[in-house]
Amino acid sequence: MLHTNLSVNEKGHLTLAGQDVCALADKYSTPLFLMDEERIRNNCRTYIGAMKEFFPAGSRPLFASKSCCFKRIYEIMAEEGMGIDLVSPGELYTAAAAGFPLENAFFHGNNKTDRDIEYAIDSGVGYFVCDNLEELNSINETAGKKGIVQNILLRLSPGIDPHTQKKISTGKVDSKFGTAIETGQAKELCKYALTLDNVCLKGFHCHIGSQIFEYDSFANAAEIMLTFIAELWRDLGFETDILNLGGGFGVRYVESDPFIDYRENIKGLAGEIDRLCAALSVKKPAILMEPGRSIVADSGVTVYSVGSVKTITGYKSYVSIDGGMPDNPRFALYESDYTALIANKADREPDLVATIAGRCCESGDIIQEDVSLVTPERGDYLAVLVTGAYNFSMASNYNRIPRPPVVMIKGDGSDYVAVKRETYEDLIRNDI
Ligand code: LLP
């Protein structure tokens, strides 16, 4: 199977973390998000271990919680000793409610409002990743009013296209994120930040994109960032403590995607960073990375019930399920690849090519096109694999469809509800 936590049992049922996915669907009903807690923890440990081993002291991973955000995730991240990347006051509120130690949080976003900034400072967020001049002034002013000095990183755009999908490539010069190095604006912003009394510039951040399978794109970004850091040292005598290289390591969604060994990639990247620092004669900064997808994606499976199987004579077949773009908008948005199978017939050979359609009143509500499936019947369970990242967190109530629950499978085989299924009452809660 795609990942080692997926298998098929003696009943011919798909298993996740050794547990029968169909039995869990019987227990909790569908649609259902399942997550393998041990896999999430192991992914955290891989990053923490490799970054500790190969990068300079103080280096660590921050979980990009936009990929999967609910209270229990932050508890797991705290238990594993991960830092976190937050992109909104809502994520901040959730992390605080979970008791996450916010000194280990980095607050992102390209348009933090004054209110967001005050809320984050009051909450004791460790670092702001400051995007632009206006925000820098607002952080400085608010920190001044509160009588504190706020640690910040400046988000820069290194001007790299990591050959990934355009919509999720965010490090190019023409980007809404960060300040460009190439144009000289980053250096100006840095000089200005150094004149301010209530911010303490600790270093720089960049994020080049998502679903990146090899470390060479990160090494290219590191080269640009370290060259900039060397220039600041030479021209301003400013020594950079932290270089945050963002998130983006890829995940295997389909058989044709490569396997990725994160430890080996981190080791390779560390070698490049060592070489660059020596060549540029700069002190090695602590390295931060912000993995989201590669921490949670392969822990997740979504289970649906099949409603209809429709073959349009001479055209194609549609398998309709009881979920769709409200719980997984990624095909509709990016035509993302997924692997799907009939979970209660997982030991049989596929004999049908079909498009998996959701239940929304919209023809673009598709989970995947032209996939090979065992011909299902109404009531069969259809599983979509590797849905732990950017599915629950991007879910909506379009068509007033309640969001599915998140059920965690623990290492000892037990399971528990991490997020309850939404009710119809939840849907009208804020309606006047
Ligand atoms: N750090 C920053 C500043 C980011 O913007 C992102 C993702 C990450 C870290 C985490 O990247 P990851 O390791 O998860 O690739 N909704 C899209 C993905 C958007 C990613 C946006 N930023 C999707 O469903 O593929």
Side-chain angles (χ1 to χ4, degrees), residues 62-384:
L62 316 173
F63 172 59
S65 50
K66 76 208 75 180
S67 62
C68 185
C69 180
F70 47 83
K71 278 166 62 181
R72 180 66 187 143
I73 280 286
Y74 292 112
E75 287 172 6
I76 294 172
M77 293 303 143
E79 283 164 18
E80 292 301 327
M82 296 282 286
I84 51 170
D85 141 4
L86 303 169
V87 287
S88 73
E91 288 187 356
L92 170 50
Y93 182 84
T94 311
F100 188 88
L102 291 170
E103 65 272 19
N104 296 324
F106 286 66
F107 189 37
H108 276 271
N110 66 304
N111 191 16
K112 303 173 189 77
T113 65
D114 292 344
R115 196 186 298 165
D116 298 345
I117 289 168
E118 180 161 17
Y119 175 47
I121 288 180
D122 286 343
S123 308
V125 156
Y127 293 79
F128 276 68
V129 182
C130 175
D131 188 274
N132 52 60
L133 177 65
E134 290 89 340
E135 187 183 313
L136 182 56
N137 282 327
S138 175
I139 298 169
N140 184 55
E141 199 178 306
T142 311
K145 272 192 220 141
K146 311 266 171 196
I148 63 150
V149 176
Q150 177 64 51
N151 285 333
I152 63 161
L153 306 182
L154 290 179
R155 178 163 181 165
L156 308 182
S157 49
I160 287 196
D161 179 355
H163 310 292
T164 179
Q165 293 182 48
K166 249 202 177 131
K167 277 188 197 165
I168 53 176
S169 142
T170 43
K172 292 185 286 177
V173 171
D174 178 5
S175 164
K176 74 168 182 170
F177 297 103
T179 306
I181 294 178
E182 190 186 300
T183 59
Q185 287 161 300
K187 192 170 180 187
E188 286 311 307
L189 191 65
C190 176
K191 274 193 210 159
Y192 178 62
L194 292 173
T195 66
L196 301 177
D197 290 335
N198 293 96
V199 293
C200 177
L201 180 60
K202 290 287 184 185
F204 303 99
H205 169 276
C206 66
H207 172 78
I208 52 173
S210 215
Q211 256 321 60
I212 299 165
F213 284 99
E214 277 169 21
Y215 72 83
D216 58 343
S217 300
F218 291 101
N220 292 341
E223 178 165 7
I224 294 166
M225 297 295 280
L226 287 166
T227 305
F228 178 71
I229 285 169
E231 186 185 327
L232 294 182
W233 172 237
R234 200 181 55 232
D235 296 356
L236 310 178
F238 174 72
E239 195 170 73
T240 299
D241 289 338
I242 296 175
L243 172 58
N244 182 336
L245 292 173
F249 267 129
V251 165
R252 195 162 187 255
Y253 284 96
V254 289
E255 298 282 345
S256 56
D257 284 338
F259 281 101
I260 169 158
D261 183 331
Y262 301 106
R263 187 176 180 280
E264 279 306 303
N265 272 278
I266 287 168
K267 186 177 174 188
L269 178 58
E272 287 297 309
I273 290 174
D274 287 351
R275 189 184 62 72
L276 287 162
C277 287
L280 293 160
S281 309
V282 279
K283 189 197 79 170
K284 278 190 244 171
I287 303 295
L288 306 182
M289 296 190 89
E290 296 172 331
R293 192 188 308 274
S294 51
I295 297 289
V296 283
D298 64 357
S299 75
V301 166
T302 310
V303 200
Y304 305 98
S305 294
V306 172
S308 70
V309 182
K310 177 162 75 181
T311 298
I312 309 167
T313 312
Y315 289 88
K316 63 193 281 188
S317 298
Y318 284 92
V319 171
S320 289
I321 50 165
D322 58 353
M325 65 191 289
D327 62 78
N328 184 357
R330 297 191 68 252
F331 185 82
L333 278 171
Y334 321 116
E335 295 185 7
S336 301
D337 289 331
Y338 278 105
T339 301
L341 54 96
I342 302 303
N344 54 314
K345 296 172 178 166
D347 55 346
R348 300 194 207 162
E349 280 303 309
D351 56 354
L352 175 75
V353 173
T355 288
I356 302 168
R359 62 181 300 184
C360 281
C361 195
E362 170 152 346
S363 17
D365 177 18
I366 298 289
I367 292 288
Q368 202 63 192
E369 260 176 347
D370 298 330
V371 286
S372 296
L373 294 172
V374 176
T375 304
E377 291 162 330
R378 188 177 179 85
D380 280 350
Y381 290 132
L382 184 143
V384 178

